[in-house]
Amino acid sequence: MAIDYYKLLRVNRDANAEELKRAYKKLAFKWHPDKNPGHDRVEAEDKFKQISEAYDVLTDARKRQIYDFYGHQYASFTHRDARDVFADLFGNDSKAMENRLECSLEELYSGSKREIMISRTVVRQSGKVRKIEETFVVTIVPGWKKGTKITFPKKGNQEPGMTPSDLIFVVHEKPHAVYEREGNDLVVKQSISLLDALTGKTLCLTTLDGRNLTIPVTDIVHPGYVMVIPDEGMPMSKEPTKKGNLKIKFDVNFPSRLSAEQKYEVMKVLIGS
């Protein structure tokens, strides 16, 4: 049986792209299977398939030319899935469903796995929308940074006539009591007395993976001095064998006052050096 694509879409034979789009949109939303549950669904699926096929042919210049010349009976095309045609035009996506993934610096250093329960809406076979709960396992890779996105395609909310949106987890870093992160480097702010700044000191730090780090400070520490410990920073997610640096930023605590005798002794030491 010959099918008249123009009649299906209710447009004139000289209809332009915008007119075809308007006509298809109106009919597609009317006949989308998700909007026609129950006994009407079979008829809706057939109608939806036909109008999507018509739109797919008439909006393709080469196919339309062949169709206009030979007609439906003699024009042989490979037709795309009706839902793909609909998706290409209307984006088919609901807005991506984003969730914050709060990660400790320890997790981002060593990696971990999280099981996260998410509530989302889905469209049942009947066309009705319902809410379900689903658990997703997120593997946190060592070295991931704030803003990293983990996407579960088509596992977000769904609306009638649309495919499910993507579910996206976005990494956020929790503040740490000791360390701050600067890219792949870790930063520690360390207060030090003037005496220790001049004579030296040994620092003891616990790393993010629980190791005890002993760091001798032998240089004279001046205000703003930064000590760099190579390979004790964050892992690099794209180069797992490499790490950034640990930076120790010193704040020298000067005494609020010195007696005349103390000043004299300091002068002797400094002048003598």
Side-chain angles (χ1 to χ4, degrees):
M1 177 182 174
I3 299 176
D4 189 328
Y5 287 151
Y6 293 99
K7 282 187 178 179
L8 269 176
L9 294 180
R10 300 175 188 175
V11 295
N12 296 325
R13 299 190 73 81
D14 61 352
N16 59 32
E18 189 57 36
E19 290 169 331
L20 290 168
K21 180 178 178 179
R22 283 200 303 270
Y24 174 69
K25 181 178 180 179
K26 181 179 179 180
L27 292 169
F29 278 107
K30 176 181 178 182
W31 292 109
H32 197 289
D34 290 344
K35 288 185 173 290
N36 294 272
H39 66 277
D40 296 327
R41 189 177 180 88
V42 175
E43 180 188 4
E45 285 178 344
D46 185 56
K47 290 280 190 183
F48 185 67
K49 180 180 178 182
Q50 287 184 14
I51 59 177
S52 296
E53 179 182 306
Y55 180 77
D56 189 40
V57 170
L58 297 183
T59 53
D60 184 303
R62 186 185 65 82
K63 289 182 180 179
R64 184 173 181 174
Q65 186 179 31
I66 294 171
Y67 172 80
D68 287 344
F69 189 81
Y70 292 105
H72 181 269
Q73 285 179 299
Y74 302 101
S76 178
F77 304 116
T78 299
H79 298 293
R80 294 187 299 151
D81 183 89
R83 289 180 181 268
D84 289 339
V85 175
F86 184 87
D88 282 352
L89 182 59
F90 300 112
N92 142 54
D93 303 323
S94 305
K95 185 178 178 181
M97 184 176 171
E98 288 198 357
N99 291 268
R100 288 172 66 101
L101 182 62
E102 298 285 353
C103 299
S104 67
L105 214 47
E106 285 85 354
E107 287 180 294
L108 295 173
Y109 184 90
S110 300
S112 70
K113 279 191 177 181
R114 292 269 202 91
E115 291 188 0
I116 303 171
M117 180 78 75
I118 293 293
S119 296
R120 64 191 185 98
T121 57
V122 297
V123 178
R124 305 178 75 172
Q125 189 70 22
S126 64
K128 292 184 178 180
V129 177
R130 71 185 183 100
K131 183 164 283 191
I132 64 169
E133 289 189 338
E134 190 171 350
T135 299
F136 295 88
V137 177
V138 178
T139 301
I140 299 168
V141 175
W144 270 358
K145 298 177 181 178
K146 177 182 178 181
T148 299
K149 293 185 177 183
I150 308 98
T151 302
F152 291 83
K154 298 183 179 180
K155 287 295 184 178
N157 290 322
Q158 183 183 18
E159 299 296 335
M162 302 286 186
T163 56
S165 65
D166 291 342
L167 170 63
I168 301 174
F169 293 98
V170 184
V171 171
H172 287 258
E173 295 178 6
K174 294 179 182 177
H176 195 272
V178 176
Y179 296 100
E180 292 181 10
R181 186 176 185 176
E182 291 182 354
N184 293 318
D185 296 333
L186 288 172
V187 176
V188 172
K189 293 180 179 178
Q190 179 69 45
S191 293
I192 190 171
S193 69
L194 179 58
L195 177 62
D196 289 338
L198 295 173
T199 61
K201 181 179 181 178
T202 298
L203 302 179
C204 295
L205 292 173
T206 302
T207 62
L208 292 172
D209 57 349
R211 292 176 291 117
N212 293 319
L213 206 59
T214 301
I215 305 166
V217 181
T218 56
D219 293 342
I220 291 178
V221 176
H222 55 78
Y225 179 79
V226 178
M227 187 175 186
V228 178
I229 313 299
D231 302 320
E232 286 294 348
M234 294 294 292
M236 300 182 188
S237 58
K238 295 181 180 179
E239 298 179 86
T241 59
K242 295 183 179 180
K243 292 181 180 178
N245 299 321
L246 170 61
K247 296 179 179 178
I248 304 173
K249 296 184 176 181
F250 288 93
D251 179 24
V252 180
N253 295 323
F254 285 82
S256 57
R257 54 190 292 274
L258 291 174
S259 66
E261 184 180 351
Q262 287 173 323
K263 289 179 183 179
Y264 176 73
E265 292 298 329
V266 170
M267 286 177 65
K268 278 202 313 182
V269 171
L270 294 178
I271 292 171
S273 65

